[in-house]
Short mmCIF file of all heavy atoms in Angstrom, two decimals:
data_model
loop_
_atom_site.label_atom_id
_atom_site.label_comp_id
_atom_site.label_asym_id
_atom_site.label_seq_id
_atom_site.Cartn_x
_atom_site.Cartn_y
_atom_site.Cartn_z
N LYS A 1196 24.73 39.05 -7.58
CA LYS A 1196 24.93 39.30 -6.16
C LYS A 1196 25.63 38.12 -5.57
O LYS A 1196 26.60 38.26 -4.80
CB LYS A 1196 23.63 39.60 -5.56
CG LYS A 1196 23.72 39.94 -4.07
CD LYS A 1196 22.38 40.25 -3.40
CE LYS A 1196 22.42 40.57 -1.92
NZ LYS A 1196 21.10 40.87 -1.36
N LYS A 1197 25.20 36.93 -5.84
CA LYS A 1197 25.73 35.72 -5.23
C LYS A 1197 27.07 35.45 -5.76
O LYS A 1197 27.99 35.02 -5.01
CB LYS A 1197 24.79 34.55 -5.45
CG LYS A 1197 23.54 34.49 -4.57
CD LYS A 1197 22.84 33.30 -4.69
CE LYS A 1197 21.64 33.27 -3.69
NZ LYS A 1197 22.08 33.25 -2.22
N PHE A 1198 27.36 35.77 -7.03
CA PHE A 1198 28.71 35.61 -7.65
C PHE A 1198 29.74 36.55 -6.98
O PHE A 1198 30.73 36.11 -6.51
CB PHE A 1198 28.70 35.88 -9.18
CG PHE A 1198 30.03 35.76 -9.70
CD1 PHE A 1198 30.65 34.51 -10.01
CD2 PHE A 1198 30.74 36.93 -10.08
CE1 PHE A 1198 31.90 34.53 -10.59
CE2 PHE A 1198 31.98 36.88 -10.62
CZ PHE A 1198 32.63 35.69 -10.86
N LEU A 1199 29.30 37.77 -6.83
CA LEU A 1199 30.24 38.82 -6.23
C LEU A 1199 30.62 38.53 -4.79
O LEU A 1199 31.63 38.88 -4.28
CB LEU A 1199 29.67 40.19 -6.30
CG LEU A 1199 29.56 40.80 -7.75
CD1 LEU A 1199 28.86 42.11 -7.71
CD2 LEU A 1199 30.85 40.86 -8.42
N LYS A 1200 29.69 37.76 -4.04
CA LYS A 1200 30.01 37.37 -2.71
C LYS A 1200 31.01 36.22 -2.57
O LYS A 1200 31.49 35.98 -1.49
CB LYS A 1200 28.76 37.00 -2.01
CG LYS A 1200 27.81 38.12 -1.61
CD LYS A 1200 26.58 37.75 -0.87
CE LYS A 1200 25.74 38.96 -0.51
NZ LYS A 1200 24.57 38.61 0.35
N LYS A 1201 31.29 35.61 -3.71
CA LYS A 1201 32.25 34.46 -3.74
C LYS A 1201 33.72 34.98 -3.46
O LYS A 1201 34.56 34.12 -2.91
CB LYS A 1201 32.21 33.75 -5.01
CG LYS A 1201 30.94 32.97 -5.32
CD LYS A 1201 30.75 31.80 -4.44
CE LYS A 1201 29.51 31.11 -4.78
NZ LYS A 1201 29.41 29.85 -3.97
N LEU A 1202 34.03 36.20 -3.80
CA LEU A 1202 35.45 36.73 -3.64
C LEU A 1202 35.35 38.11 -3.10
O LEU A 1202 34.35 38.87 -3.36
CB LEU A 1202 36.16 36.60 -4.89
CG LEU A 1202 36.41 35.26 -5.57
CD1 LEU A 1202 36.90 35.40 -7.03
CD2 LEU A 1202 37.29 34.38 -4.70
N PRO A 1203 36.41 38.62 -2.43
CA PRO A 1203 36.53 40.01 -2.08
C PRO A 1203 36.47 40.90 -3.38
O PRO A 1203 36.97 40.55 -4.42
CB PRO A 1203 37.87 40.16 -1.44
CG PRO A 1203 38.16 38.81 -0.97
CD PRO A 1203 37.62 37.93 -1.97
N ASN A 1204 35.91 42.13 -3.24
CA ASN A 1204 35.70 43.06 -4.34
C ASN A 1204 36.67 44.22 -4.23
O ASN A 1204 36.87 44.78 -3.04
CB ASN A 1204 34.28 43.55 -4.42
CG ASN A 1204 33.26 42.49 -4.82
OD1 ASN A 1204 32.07 42.73 -4.80
ND2 ASN A 1204 33.73 41.25 -4.95
N VAL A 1205 37.17 44.79 -5.34
CA VAL A 1205 37.99 45.97 -5.38
C VAL A 1205 37.28 46.86 -6.40
O VAL A 1205 37.00 46.36 -7.57
CB VAL A 1205 39.41 45.69 -5.89
CG1 VAL A 1205 40.21 47.00 -6.06
CG2 VAL A 1205 40.09 44.81 -4.75
N ILE A 1206 37.02 48.13 -6.15
CA ILE A 1206 36.24 49.04 -6.96
C ILE A 1206 37.22 49.89 -7.81
O ILE A 1206 38.17 50.45 -7.20
CB ILE A 1206 35.25 49.89 -6.21
CG1 ILE A 1206 34.46 49.06 -5.27
CG2 ILE A 1206 34.37 50.74 -7.11
CD1 ILE A 1206 33.62 48.08 -5.95
N ALA A 1207 36.91 49.98 -9.10
CA ALA A 1207 37.81 50.85 -9.98
C ALA A 1207 36.91 51.59 -11.03
O ALA A 1207 35.74 51.25 -11.18
CB ALA A 1207 38.79 49.97 -10.65
N GLY A 1208 37.55 52.60 -11.64
CA GLY A 1208 36.89 53.29 -12.68
C GLY A 1208 37.80 53.54 -13.90
O GLY A 1208 39.00 53.64 -13.72
N GLY A 1209 37.26 53.48 -15.10
CA GLY A 1209 38.06 53.62 -16.29
C GLY A 1209 37.32 54.43 -17.38
O GLY A 1209 36.11 54.63 -17.36
N GLY A 1210 38.06 54.68 -18.46
CA GLY A 1210 37.46 55.45 -19.58
C GLY A 1210 37.82 54.94 -20.98
O GLY A 1210 38.96 54.39 -21.25
N LYS A 1211 36.81 55.04 -21.78
CA LYS A 1211 36.95 54.82 -23.28
C LYS A 1211 36.89 56.25 -23.80
O LYS A 1211 35.82 56.84 -23.93
CB LYS A 1211 35.83 53.97 -23.81
CG LYS A 1211 35.88 53.75 -25.33
CD LYS A 1211 34.57 52.94 -25.72
CE LYS A 1211 34.55 52.85 -27.23
NZ LYS A 1211 33.35 52.22 -27.67
N VAL A 1212 38.07 56.80 -24.12
CA VAL A 1212 38.24 58.23 -24.45
C VAL A 1212 38.35 58.49 -25.98
O VAL A 1212 39.23 57.84 -26.63
CB VAL A 1212 39.46 58.86 -23.75
CG1 VAL A 1212 39.53 60.32 -23.94
CG2 VAL A 1212 39.39 58.48 -22.17
N TYR A 1213 37.61 59.43 -26.46
CA TYR A 1213 37.64 59.76 -27.84
C TYR A 1213 38.24 61.20 -27.94
O TYR A 1213 38.02 62.09 -27.11
CB TYR A 1213 36.32 59.84 -28.46
CG TYR A 1213 35.63 58.54 -28.74
CD1 TYR A 1213 34.84 57.92 -27.77
CD2 TYR A 1213 35.84 57.93 -29.97
CE1 TYR A 1213 34.19 56.70 -28.02
CE2 TYR A 1213 35.12 56.67 -30.22
CZ TYR A 1213 34.38 56.10 -29.17
OH TYR A 1213 33.81 54.88 -29.44
N ASN A 1214 39.10 61.53 -29.00
CA ASN A 1214 39.47 62.82 -29.22
C ASN A 1214 38.71 63.45 -30.34
O ASN A 1214 37.74 62.85 -30.89
CB ASN A 1214 41.03 62.80 -29.53
CG ASN A 1214 41.39 62.03 -30.90
OD1 ASN A 1214 40.49 61.68 -31.59
ND2 ASN A 1214 42.68 61.82 -31.12
N ASP A 1215 39.10 64.63 -30.81
CA ASP A 1215 38.33 65.30 -31.83
C ASP A 1215 38.31 64.60 -33.14
O ASP A 1215 37.39 64.81 -34.06
CB ASP A 1215 39.06 66.74 -32.15
CG ASP A 1215 38.67 67.63 -30.88
OD1 ASP A 1215 37.83 67.38 -30.07
OD2 ASP A 1215 39.47 68.65 -30.70
N LYS A 1216 39.24 63.68 -33.37
CA LYS A 1216 39.33 62.98 -34.60
C LYS A 1216 38.50 61.66 -34.60
O LYS A 1216 38.51 60.92 -35.57
CB LYS A 1216 40.81 62.70 -35.00
CG LYS A 1216 41.62 63.95 -35.24
CD LYS A 1216 43.02 63.56 -35.59
CE LYS A 1216 43.94 64.84 -35.85
NZ LYS A 1216 45.32 64.47 -36.11
N GLY A 1217 38.03 61.34 -33.44
CA GLY A 1217 37.25 60.11 -33.23
C GLY A 1217 38.12 58.84 -32.96
O GLY A 1217 37.71 57.72 -32.95
N ASN A 1218 39.45 59.10 -32.65
CA ASN A 1218 40.30 58.09 -32.19
C ASN A 1218 40.13 57.79 -30.81
O ASN A 1218 39.65 58.55 -29.99
CB ASN A 1218 41.75 58.52 -32.52
CG ASN A 1218 42.02 58.80 -33.99
OD1 ASN A 1218 41.46 58.22 -34.79
ND2 ASN A 1218 43.07 59.66 -34.19
N ILE A 1219 40.46 56.54 -30.43
CA ILE A 1219 40.28 56.09 -29.01
C ILE A 1219 41.60 55.94 -28.34
O ILE A 1219 42.64 55.46 -28.96
CB ILE A 1219 39.59 54.66 -29.05
CG1 ILE A 1219 38.20 54.74 -29.72
CG2 ILE A 1219 39.39 54.14 -27.58
CD1 ILE A 1219 37.46 53.44 -29.83
N LEU A 1220 41.63 56.28 -27.13
CA LEU A 1220 42.92 56.28 -26.27
C LEU A 1220 43.21 54.83 -25.76
O LEU A 1220 42.34 54.38 -24.99
CB LEU A 1220 42.82 57.30 -25.19
CG LEU A 1220 44.02 57.49 -24.31
CD1 LEU A 1220 45.18 58.13 -25.10
CD2 LEU A 1220 43.63 58.41 -23.13
N PHE A 1221 44.30 54.28 -26.10
CA PHE A 1221 44.66 52.94 -25.60
C PHE A 1221 45.98 53.02 -24.82
O PHE A 1221 46.81 53.87 -25.16
CB PHE A 1221 44.83 51.98 -26.72
CG PHE A 1221 43.62 51.23 -27.14
CD1 PHE A 1221 42.59 51.91 -27.90
CD2 PHE A 1221 43.32 49.98 -26.77
CE1 PHE A 1221 41.53 51.25 -28.37
CE2 PHE A 1221 42.15 49.22 -27.14
CZ PHE A 1221 41.26 49.96 -27.94
N ILE A 1222 46.22 52.10 -23.90
CA ILE A 1222 47.50 51.94 -23.27
C ILE A 1222 48.02 50.55 -23.56
O ILE A 1222 47.18 49.62 -23.80
CB ILE A 1222 47.36 52.17 -21.74
CG1 ILE A 1222 46.43 51.15 -21.08
CG2 ILE A 1222 46.99 53.58 -21.39
CD1 ILE A 1222 46.44 51.18 -19.51
N TYR A 1223 49.31 50.34 -23.42
CA TYR A 1223 49.93 49.07 -23.59
C TYR A 1223 50.59 48.67 -22.32
O TYR A 1223 51.48 49.32 -21.87
CB TYR A 1223 50.89 49.06 -24.71
CG TYR A 1223 51.33 47.68 -25.25
CD1 TYR A 1223 50.55 46.94 -25.99
CD2 TYR A 1223 52.60 47.20 -24.84
CE1 TYR A 1223 50.96 45.69 -26.52
CE2 TYR A 1223 53.06 45.98 -25.39
CZ TYR A 1223 52.21 45.20 -26.16
OH TYR A 1223 52.57 44.03 -26.63
N ARG A 1224 50.10 47.50 -21.73
CA ARG A 1224 50.60 47.07 -20.40
C ARG A 1224 50.49 45.59 -20.33
O ARG A 1224 49.54 45.06 -20.81
CB ARG A 1224 49.75 47.75 -19.29
CG ARG A 1224 50.01 47.17 -17.87
CD ARG A 1224 49.30 48.05 -16.84
NE ARG A 1224 48.00 48.36 -17.06
CZ ARG A 1224 47.27 49.31 -16.40
NH1 ARG A 1224 47.84 50.12 -15.53
NH2 ARG A 1224 46.04 49.49 -16.69
N ASN A 1225 51.57 44.99 -19.78
CA ASN A 1225 51.59 43.48 -19.63
C ASN A 1225 51.38 42.82 -20.95
O ASN A 1225 50.77 41.86 -21.13
CB ASN A 1225 50.46 43.02 -18.65
CG ASN A 1225 50.65 43.44 -17.25
OD1 ASN A 1225 51.81 43.70 -16.78
ND2 ASN A 1225 49.67 43.71 -16.51
N ASP A 1226 51.98 43.45 -22.00
CA ASP A 1226 52.03 42.91 -23.36
C ASP A 1226 50.60 42.75 -23.94
O ASP A 1226 50.36 41.96 -24.85
CB ASP A 1226 52.78 41.46 -23.36
CG ASP A 1226 54.16 41.54 -23.03
OD1 ASP A 1226 54.85 42.46 -23.39
OD2 ASP A 1226 54.58 40.62 -22.23
N LYS A 1227 49.78 43.65 -23.46
CA LYS A 1227 48.33 43.70 -24.01
C LYS A 1227 47.93 45.15 -24.15
O LYS A 1227 48.30 46.03 -23.45
CB LYS A 1227 47.42 43.07 -23.00
CG LYS A 1227 47.62 41.51 -22.85
CD LYS A 1227 46.97 40.73 -23.93
CE LYS A 1227 46.97 39.25 -23.58
NZ LYS A 1227 46.35 38.40 -24.67
N TRP A 1228 47.08 45.35 -25.21
CA TRP A 1228 46.46 46.71 -25.34
C TRP A 1228 45.19 46.73 -24.48
O TRP A 1228 44.51 45.76 -24.33
CB TRP A 1228 45.99 46.90 -26.72
CG TRP A 1228 47.09 47.18 -27.76
CD1 TRP A 1228 47.68 46.31 -28.56
CD2 TRP A 1228 47.87 48.46 -27.81
NE1 TRP A 1228 48.77 46.98 -29.27
CE2 TRP A 1228 48.90 48.27 -28.80
CE3 TRP A 1228 47.80 49.65 -27.18
CZ2 TRP A 1228 49.83 49.23 -29.09
CZ3 TRP A 1228 48.71 50.67 -27.51
CH2 TRP A 1228 49.70 50.46 -28.50
N ASP A 1229 45.01 47.85 -23.72
CA ASP A 1229 44.05 47.98 -22.69
C ASP A 1229 43.47 49.43 -22.68
O ASP A 1229 44.02 50.24 -23.42
CB ASP A 1229 44.71 47.68 -21.36
CG ASP A 1229 43.68 47.28 -20.33
OD1 ASP A 1229 42.48 47.37 -20.51
OD2 ASP A 1229 44.11 46.88 -19.21
N LEU A 1230 42.51 49.64 -21.93
CA LEU A 1230 41.97 50.96 -21.74
C LEU A 1230 42.36 51.40 -20.27
O LEU A 1230 42.45 50.62 -19.39
CB LEU A 1230 40.45 50.99 -21.83
CG LEU A 1230 39.82 50.66 -23.21
CD1 LEU A 1230 38.30 50.80 -23.15
CD2 LEU A 1230 40.42 51.65 -24.25
N PRO A 1231 42.62 52.77 -20.10
CA PRO A 1231 43.10 53.17 -18.79
C PRO A 1231 42.01 53.05 -17.68
O PRO A 1231 40.90 53.33 -17.93
CB PRO A 1231 43.46 54.71 -19.05
CG PRO A 1231 42.66 55.07 -20.27
CD PRO A 1231 42.55 53.82 -21.01
N LYS A 1232 42.44 52.60 -16.52
CA LYS A 1232 41.51 52.43 -15.40
C LYS A 1232 42.29 52.25 -14.16
O LYS A 1232 43.58 52.08 -14.17
CB LYS A 1232 40.71 51.07 -15.57
CG LYS A 1232 41.56 49.82 -15.59
CD LYS A 1232 40.71 48.63 -15.86
CE LYS A 1232 41.54 47.32 -15.83
NZ LYS A 1232 42.54 47.32 -16.92
N GLY A 1233 41.67 52.44 -12.96
CA GLY A 1233 42.35 52.26 -11.63
C GLY A 1233 41.36 52.38 -10.50
O GLY A 1233 40.17 52.61 -10.70
N LYS A 1234 41.87 52.08 -9.34
CA LYS A 1234 41.10 51.93 -8.14
C LYS A 1234 40.67 53.29 -7.59
O LYS A 1234 41.37 54.25 -7.63
CB LYS A 1234 41.91 51.21 -7.05
CG LYS A 1234 42.26 49.75 -7.47
CD LYS A 1234 42.89 48.99 -6.24
CE LYS A 1234 44.19 49.56 -5.90
NZ LYS A 1234 44.92 48.80 -4.76
N VAL A 1235 39.53 53.18 -6.93
CA VAL A 1235 38.99 54.28 -6.15
C VAL A 1235 39.94 54.65 -4.98
O VAL A 1235 40.49 53.82 -4.33
CB VAL A 1235 37.52 54.02 -5.55
CG1 VAL A 1235 37.23 55.08 -4.53
CG2 VAL A 1235 36.54 53.96 -6.65
N GLU A 1236 40.15 55.99 -4.75
CA GLU A 1236 40.88 56.43 -3.67
C GLU A 1236 40.08 57.26 -2.56
O GLU A 1236 39.28 58.11 -3.01
CB GLU A 1236 42.10 57.36 -4.11
CG GLU A 1236 43.13 56.62 -4.95
CD GLU A 1236 44.28 57.46 -5.29
OE1 GLU A 1236 44.26 58.75 -4.97
OE2 GLU A 1236 45.21 56.93 -5.92
N GLY A 1237 40.05 56.79 -1.37
CA GLY A 1237 39.20 57.50 -0.34
C GLY A 1237 37.77 57.51 -0.66
O GLY A 1237 37.18 56.54 -1.01
N ASN A 1238 37.14 58.64 -0.46
CA ASN A 1238 35.73 58.82 -0.72
C ASN A 1238 35.41 59.42 -2.09
O ASN A 1238 34.24 59.95 -2.27
CB ASN A 1238 35.16 59.64 0.45
CG ASN A 1238 35.21 59.03 1.76
OD1 ASN A 1238 35.05 57.75 1.89
ND2 ASN A 1238 35.61 59.78 2.80
N GLU A 1239 36.31 59.43 -3.00
CA GLU A 1239 35.98 60.09 -4.34
C GLU A 1239 34.86 59.33 -4.98
O GLU A 1239 34.70 58.10 -4.85
CB GLU A 1239 37.18 60.10 -5.15
CG GLU A 1239 37.80 58.84 -5.62
CD GLU A 1239 39.06 59.01 -6.51
OE1 GLU A 1239 39.43 60.20 -6.78
OE2 GLU A 1239 39.67 57.91 -6.77
N SER A 1240 34.18 60.05 -5.87
CA SER A 1240 33.10 59.44 -6.67
C SER A 1240 33.76 58.56 -7.73
O SER A 1240 34.84 58.71 -8.13
CB SER A 1240 32.21 60.44 -7.36
OG SER A 1240 32.99 61.25 -8.31
#
């Protein structure tokens, strides 16, 4: 709680996605492999 108060917060959601073969979905961005994620829009869950 005290750490989070040190800086403004931005809320996001992301996924570790498996397909039928058990493979994981990755994206490549900023020269790094990553998992897809992004910021909350409006009042969505």
